[in-house]
Amino acid sequence: MLASRITSLSWYVALLVTILVFPPRQLSASTFGPPPNAPLSLEKLSRIDEFLNDQVAQGKIPGAIVLIQRHGKPVYFKWFGQRDVDTGIDMTPDAIFPMHSLTKTVTSFAALMLVDRGTIKLDDPVSKYVPSFAGMKVGVERKDELGKAVLNLVPLRRPVTIEDLLLHTSGITYGFYGDRGLVKAAYDGIYLGDFDNAGFAERIAKLPLAEQPRTLWDYGHSIDVLGRVIEVASGQSLYQFEKMQLLDPLGMPTTKFFLTDPAERARYAQPLAKDRHVERNSLDVTRWESGGGGLVTTVDDLARFGQMLLNGGALDGKSYLNTATFAAMTTDHIGPGSGVARNYFYYPGDGFGFGYGFGVRTDPGNAVPPPPGSPGEIKWDGATGAYLVVDRAQDMFFVVLQNAPSGRLHVQVNVKKLVYDAFEK
């Protein structure tokens, strides 16, 4: 116990030194975004109604729920369209939606709770928890003497760490986007069969990394592996740990990996027929609790998570993260001077860096005018349209829930614009 406390204290000292020596960029609110405490026009927010009703009428999305909460109270809460187009069931406020990659924020937060306790450390090698990671190699594609593409496996310059998993700088990628080279092709079939988190981590350990750790922000299965680390470190399944330590205390009873209760299954928001191509969903009960994309939630549940984040990691008198850990989570760690590159598939987007599990707004970006938002906001979303934006500068967060893979981005971009357009200048 004493050794654990000393380790934890050492980590906090190192973190505070890092923040003091390399402080996050402090941008005045006048740089971009609404002025502090700007009034929010409810009349202008009503434009969201027109937009989403039109998206539903055009068949772009089946339905959606939007919640905007400011100063601890909802200022906009409406639902649109249908929960199930095939059966004609209207959208309801208790509808259950897949989170997909928004799950990563919950898993990352849970891992940081273990960092807080000294159970794991950011600089721990992943091989401490998944021993097979000690043998990982980077795949480097080249042409042989006949001009055929071949893959060389080269040693790591340093081990993959817990921090690499949190930052998506591990070299672990996804196989379904980007250049279909030999490394990406190696990930084909990774979802097939029945496996648990331990088995999935072993599948990843057998694959080549796409690049050396801490060289490129590369979206992939890092947080799925982090889920396995949580299991090994806590001695519980990922869901057991998250349920006991985070979800139940926060009051998020419907946020889970699989829906087995018939009443909950009936509340699941179904996608349009054109979007029913996702490999897995939470109605198909398996052993894999995907920390990178497996949770479902409701707007009420996600509002509890969002308010806790808006409060700096605390809710209803209970603190879930130490102040220093929360500051680290919401600080950009991959910006200028970090040695981490960005390519076309840098999903945080224009004006954003990346913290531990969240995109972090650092600057106005390159677009003119700047994309909407505020300095320091954090956000993430999922492949079917679950979207969470936490804006501490405005004491506001908003949630969009939909199950619309092909229509989600248009909705997210426009709802965010409409939200920030409603601030009085």
Side-chain angles (χ1 to χ4, degrees):
M1 178 65 73
L2 178 60
S4 173
R5 288 178 179 173
I6 291 172
T7 298
S8 180
L9 178 60
S10 299
W11 180 80
Y12 282 122
V13 170
L15 173 63
L16 290 172
V17 169
T18 299
I19 291 175
L20 289 172
V21 176
F22 303 105
R25 291 177 63 184
Q26 298 297 319
L27 300 172
S28 76
S30 62
T31 306
F32 66 95
N37 300 312
L40 190 58
S41 167
L42 300 184
E43 181 181 356
K44 290 181 179 178
L45 285 177
S46 67
R47 297 170 184 169
I48 296 172
D49 301 25
E50 181 181 353
F51 169 71
L52 286 176
N53 282 325
D54 180 63
Q55 291 295 293
V56 170
Q58 290 189 52
K60 301 291 182 66
I61 63 172
I65 298 178
V66 178
L67 167 68
I68 304 168
Q69 189 154 303
R70 196 179 192 205
H71 307 318
K73 297 180 180 179
V75 295
Y76 180 100
F77 181 32
K78 295 185 180 181
W79 45 97
F80 305 87
Q82 295 184 311
R83 196 175 73 198
D84 189 334
V85 171
D86 289 352
T87 58
I89 298 174
D90 287 340
M91 184 60 69
T92 55
D94 64 349
I96 300 172
F97 292 83
M99 291 177 71
H100 283 284
S101 281
L102 193 56
T103 302
K104 292 177 171 67
T105 65
V106 177
T107 307
S108 297
F109 194 96
L112 290 172
M113 293 175 74
L114 289 174
V115 171
D116 245 0
R117 300 170 188 181
T119 307
I120 63 178
K121 295 187 296 181
L122 291 176
D123 60 0
D124 278 344
V126 175
S127 59
K128 179 178 178 179
Y129 307 94
V130 186
S132 53
F133 262 64
M136 295 202 79
K137 299 285 195 301
V138 176
V140 178
E141 193 168 320
R142 66 173 180 84
K143 301 289 187 182
D144 66 12
E145 60 274 9
L146 299 177
K148 181 182 177 182
V150 295
L151 198 64
N152 283 355
L153 298 178
V154 303
L156 301 188
R157 295 173 193 155
R158 66 154 177 81
V160 178
T161 66
I162 301 301
E163 186 175 41
D164 289 322
L165 297 179
L166 284 161
L167 294 177
H168 292 283
T169 57
S170 64
I172 300 169
T173 190
Y174 278 140
F176 53 76
Y177 72 87
D179 176 31
R180 287 297 295 169
L182 295 179
V183 172
K184 292 278 188 178
Y187 285 73
D188 287 347
I190 196 168
Y191 298 109
L192 299 177
D194 186 25
F195 50 84
D196 57 12
N197 278 340
F200 192 73
E202 292 304 316
R203 291 184 177 201
I204 295 292
K206 292 180 173 66
L207 300 176
L209 298 177
E211 56 275 327
Q212 291 286 346
R214 197 69 179 204
T215 59
L216 178 71
W217 191 91
D218 194 347
Y219 206 45
H221 287 291
S222 289
I223 309 302
D224 287 314
V225 175
L226 186 65
R228 176 55 184 164
V229 170
I230 291 172
E231 292 185 335
V232 175
S234 69
Q236 298 176 284
S237 75
L238 179 58
Y239 179 59
Q240 286 172 338
F241 179 81
E242 291 180 344
K243 177 177 170 60
M244 291 177 62
Q245 302 298 324
L246 185 63
L247 301 176
D248 280 357
L250 274 177
M252 300 173 64
T254 316
T255 303
K256 56 188 69 173
F257 286 101
F258 299 107
L259 296 175
T260 56
D261 178 78
E264 288 186 339
R265 290 172 67 89
R267 287 159 47 203
Y268 186 77
Q270 296 288 348
L272 297 173
K274 64 181 179 181
D275 282 332
R276 292 172 193 166
H277 53 72
V278 177
E279 293 89 349
R280 293 169 179 261
N281 70 64
S282 292
L283 299 179
D284 301 327
V285 180
T286 70
R287 293 188 297 145
W288 187 34
E289 296 175 355
S290 169
L295 288 174
V296 297
T297 196
T298 62
V299 68
D300 283 351
D301 280 21
L302 197 51
R304 299 286 293 174
F305 187 58
Q307 187 64 53
M308 181 271 291
L309 294 172
L310 184 60
N311 295 348
L315 189 67
D316 295 339
K318 178 177 175 58
S319 179
Y320 293 87
L321 279 189
N322 180 283
T323 301
T325 309
F326 188 86
M329 184 189 78
T330 55
T331 295
D332 175 29
H333 295 281
I334 63 164
S338 67
V340 178
R342 305 176 184 184
N343 63 15
Y344 177 79
F345 300 102
Y346 179 69
Y347 295 124
D350 190 25
F352 281 86
F354 200 76
Y356 297 142
F358 296 85
V360 180
R361 190 68 182 267
T362 57
D363 57 78
N366 298 312
V368 178
S374 294
E377 74 173 90
I378 60 173
K379 57 104 178 190
W380 208 243
D381 67 286
T384 48
Y387 186 37
L388 173 64
V389 174
V390 179
D391 185 340
R392 298 185 76 192
Q394 293 296 334
D395 193 25
M396 175 190 76
F397 73 86
F398 71 86
V399 167
V400 179
L401 285 175
Q402 50 182 331
N403 192 354
S406 62
R408 68 181 180 97
L409 282 175
H410 185 66
V411 168
Q412 290 167 201
V413 168
N414 281 277
V415 168
K416 186 175 188 182
K417 183 178 186 306
L418 290 167
V419 169
Y420 282 89
D421 282 349
F423 281 100
E424 301 289 359
K425 303 298 186 285

